[in-house]
């Protein structure tokens, strides 16, 4: 399985609840545990400003490029502006694009044309809207990758967003696109306050445990796959975890692994390409966040082994 990753995702944003270090730790852990080999990793190129413009407004991109952000823009984004920050996230959007092209067999540099699953140690920046960034998300990587695929003739796309926070930016961007099915399971009483409607939204009460969560997911997945997507993006947020600082659900590590397994199996049964992005994760111990992300990628590699 190919995994997009760059060491440059470890962006210096100062002391922050968002641990950009997790990307490097996930990469290290995958190698140390023998889940991935060095040849499995692909270094993305940054998304071009033209690609970003498939989703984002010219005014917003100009602000990001020049740093002409008002204090309220920075407060909403919750990240300090710097060239390094913008370049790091542009690269991260490129990683999701690259994983999508690989999963769909469109990556020209790959020798095999038929990859079905690709992962990205990054991405899932689902709070970014067309005209502004918020909640640590400067650009909406999945939305940009969806538009890139659509420009290449892959039109029907599903987004399965299981981050603990609602995918407000993604839902709003695709609100009127009948070719994109957006599905979100999230904690209802959590950021973002305003939750634009996804195609299918399931808001969970505070403190929801594994069994209830997995039952709802199992019930919803057939609805998503009935859309017959030609590609599925999965935002495998680690923040529904019981010890997350920004989440209020009570999923265990084992429950999260079962969640991943359910999604991967459902997409695989439909023979759709699958693109996995990490999204959020703010556990008190960063090792927990890393272990949850690593488990997601490990489950995806198991799919490959069964197929081979
Ligand atoms: Zn989140």
């Amino acid at each position: 399985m190919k995994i997009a990753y760059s060491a440059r995702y470890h962006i210096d944003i100062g002391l922050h609840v968002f641990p950009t270090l997790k990307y490097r730790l996930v990469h290290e852990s995958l190698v140390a545990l023998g889940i991935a080999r060095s040849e499995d990793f692909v270094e993305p190129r940054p998304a071009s400003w033209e690609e970003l413009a498939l989703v984002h407004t010219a005014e917003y991109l100009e602000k990001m490029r020049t740093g002409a952000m008002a204090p309220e823009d920075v407060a909403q984004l919750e990240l300090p502006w710097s060239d390094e920050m913008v370049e790091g996230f542009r690269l991260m959007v490129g990683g999701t694009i690259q994983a999508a092209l690989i999963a769909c067999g469109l990556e020209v540099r790959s020798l095999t044309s038929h990859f079905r699953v690709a992962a990205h140690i990054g991405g899932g920046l689902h709070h970014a809207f067309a005209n502004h960034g918020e909640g640590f998300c400067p650009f909406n990587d999945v939305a940009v990758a969806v538009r890139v695929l659509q420009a290449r003739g892959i039109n029907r796309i599903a987004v399965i967003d299981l981050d603990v926070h609602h995918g407000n930016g993604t839902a709003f961007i695709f609100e009127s696109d009948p070719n994109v099915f957006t599905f979100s399971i999230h904690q209802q009483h959590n950021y973002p306050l305003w939750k634009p409607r996804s195609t299918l939204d399931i808001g969970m009460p505070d403190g929801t445990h594994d069994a209830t969560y997995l039952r709802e997911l199992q019930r919803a997945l057939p609805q998503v796959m009935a859309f017959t997507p030609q590609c599925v993006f999965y935002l495998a947020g680690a923040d529904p975890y019981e010890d997350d600082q920004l989440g209020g659900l009570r999923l265990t590590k084992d429950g999260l692994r079962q969640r991943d397994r359910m999604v991967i199996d459902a997409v695989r049964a439909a023979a759709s390409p699958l693109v996995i992005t990490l999204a959020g994760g703010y556990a008190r111990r960063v090792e927990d966040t890393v272990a949850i992300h690593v488990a997601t990628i490990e489950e995806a590699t198991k799919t490959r082994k069964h197929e081979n």
Side-chain angles (χ1 to χ4, degrees), residues 126-127 163-165 239 280 282:
H126 58 169
H127 300 311
D163 188 277
V164 81
H165 303 102
D239 47 13
Y282 317 92

Side-chain angles (χ1 to χ4, degrees), residues 67-189:
M69 311 235 326
E72 56 269 29
D73 296 332
V74 175
Q76 191 171 32
L77 179 56
E78 299 183 67
L79 287 176
W81 186 93
S82 69
D83 265 326
E84 189 203 357
M85 186 276 284
V86 173
E87 290 310 299
F89 281 102
R90 218 151 64 82
L91 190 62
M92 193 176 279
V93 177
T96 298
I97 292 171
Q98 183 150 30
L101 294 176
I102 291 170
C104 293
L106 296 172
E107 172 64 60
V108 285
R109 273 177 292 167
S110 67
L111 295 172
T112 319
S113 63
H114 193 70
F115 289 104
R116 304 306 289 183
V117 188
H120 179 205
I121 305 179
L125 308 169
H126 58 169
H127 300 311
F129 287 71
N131 65 355
H132 73 274
E134 64 174 74
F136 323 147
C137 300
F139 307 117
N140 196 311
D141 60 306
V142 168
V144 172
V146 165
R147 293 300 187 215
V148 168
L149 288 185
Q150 288 183 325
R152 302 280 297 264
I154 296 178
N155 287 313
R156 292 174 68 79
I157 294 171
V159 179
I160 297 177
D161 185 340
L162 302 187
D163 188 277
V164 81
H165 303 102
H166 180 260
N168 54 345
T170 313
F172 194 69
I173 287 165
F174 295 118
E175 199 177 30
S176 55
D177 187 336
N179 284 316
V180 181
F181 190 112
T182 54
F183 166 46
S184 173
I185 300 185
H186 47 270
Q187 183 189 0
Q188 187 62 29
H189 299 293

Side-chain angles (χ1 to χ4, degrees), residues 21 33 37 84 117 127 132 141 151-152 175-176 193 222 225 227-228 232 236 242 247 255 261 286 290:
L21 175 66
L33 295 170
R37 298 154 303 175
E84 189 203 357
V117 188
H127 300 311
H132 73 274
D141 60 306
R152 302 280 297 264
E175 199 177 30
S176 55
L193 199 59
M225 300 319 296
F227 179 71
T228 60
V232 175
E242 56 190 348
R261 192 72 253 153
V286 72
V290 170

Side-chain angles (χ1 to χ4, degrees), residues 214-256:
L214 295 172
R215 192 171 60 237
E216 291 292 329
L217 175 61
Q218 191 72 279
R219 199 162 32 202
L221 282 172
Q223 285 185 63
V224 180
M225 300 319 296
F227 179 71
T228 60
Q230 295 167 282
C231 180
V232 175
F233 287 82
Y234 174 32
L235 284 76
D239 47 13
Y241 179 51
E242 56 190 348
D243 202 30
D244 195 273
Q245 299 173 83
L246 301 185
L249 300 186
R250 305 276 306 156
L251 270 69
T252 64
K253 284 181 186 166
D254 187 53
L256 287 163

Side-chain angles (χ1 to χ4, degrees), residues 236-304:
D239 47 13
Y241 179 51
E242 56 190 348
D243 202 30
D244 195 273
Q245 299 173 83
L246 301 185
L249 300 186
R250 305 276 306 156
L251 270 69
T252 64
K253 284 181 186 166
D254 187 53
L256 287 163
R257 190 185 278 270
Q258 288 182 56
R259 171 198 72 165
D260 297 336
R261 192 72 253 153
M262 269 185 198
V263 171
I264 293 162
D265 285 346
V267 176
R268 181 168 162 244
S272 165
L274 173 63
V275 185
I276 297 172
T277 64
L278 298 190
Y282 317 92
R284 250 165 278 277
R285 294 163 12 104
V286 72
E287 309 90 279
D288 290 339
T289 296
V290 170
I292 292 162
H293 288 319
V294 166
T296 301
I297 293 173
E298 185 180 24
E299 290 302 317
T301 62
K302 280 182 194 165
T303 302
R304 293 293 306 171

